[in-house]
Amino acid sequence: MTAEVVPPIRRSLVVPLSQADAFDLFVRRIADWWPLATISLGRLEAASCHIEPSIGGRIFERARDGTEALWGTVVAWDAPWRLAFTWHPGRAAASAQEVEVQFVEVLAAQTRVEVVHRGWERAGERAAPMRARHDGGWQAILARFEALSRGEAALPEPPEPGGRSG
């Protein structure tokens, strides 16, 4: 019996930032737009999240008490054009998916951000429901990224509080 192929999640948006600024906002300022209270392992106890800027770097959240929880590992780093990382918050690395984010300059001060989240088959029978949950999650998360890129102070809240990132 062959495993069912679960299609990748694909999201694309244009932000009013240069390519370098869009990459910087995504990577270095992730804690400013990621909805930690609802999409994280620690939820209300999560204080920040980080991407270490190099191949092999960790993507992780840090709780208020200083403990850290791994979300994934950077597997491609080509600033300011591309970033790719494994994604397995709260799960074994063997079940990880891969997220690739490309930053494509449209105009001098506009960048298309393309997100592809693939590799769902590694989650086995949980693949389809996990993909469905992440599909909505990425929509909410990227809406916050986009709002912050426009300089908005009040970022949209995810529609389903209490969701998990993994």
Side-chain angles (χ1 to χ4, degrees):
M1 188 161 137
T2 60
E4 179 180 338
V5 174
V6 179
I9 294 170
R10 295 181 186 277
R11 295 274 183 228
S12 179
L13 62 147
V14 175
V15 295
L17 299 171
S18 70
Q19 184 182 45
D21 288 343
F23 188 91
D24 186 67
L25 178 62
F26 195 95
V27 173
R28 290 178 182 82
R29 294 184 55 205
I30 187 171
D32 293 343
W33 53 270
W34 192 277
L36 282 170
T38 54
I39 303 179
S40 67
L41 296 170
R43 296 185 185 156
L44 294 177
E45 292 304 311
S48 62
C49 56
H50 309 272
I51 298 175
E52 295 176 337
S54 64
I55 293 175
R58 298 175 303 150
I59 300 175
F60 64 99
E61 69 182 69
R62 183 173 293 134
R64 296 184 195 293
D65 67 4
T67 59
E68 296 176 350
L70 185 66
W71 289 357
T73 304
V74 175
V75 296
W77 182 269
D78 192 13
W81 299 279
R82 179 176 172 260
L83 164 71
F85 49 89
T86 63
W87 187 251
H88 56 92
R91 295 181 282 116
S95 70
Q97 288 76 58
E98 183 176 283
V99 177
E100 180 177 13
V101 187
Q102 292 189 20
F103 301 83
V104 181
E105 188 173 67
V106 177
L107 297 171
Q110 279 193 334
T111 301
R112 185 173 62 248
V113 180
E114 300 172 347
V115 177
V116 179
H117 191 156
R118 62 180 160 255
W120 298 104
E121 296 75 22
R122 292 184 204 109
E125 63 187 33
R126 296 179 19 207
M130 277 179 63
R131 185 205 181 276
R133 195 170 62 247
H134 281 75
D135 194 28
W138 275 116
Q139 183 173 345
I141 290 164
L142 291 175
R144 292 172 59 88
F145 174 79
E146 183 178 20
L148 189 57
S149 78
R150 292 191 308 261
E152 294 179 18
L155 304 183
E157 289 300 319
E160 297 180 27
R164 293 186 64 97
S165 62

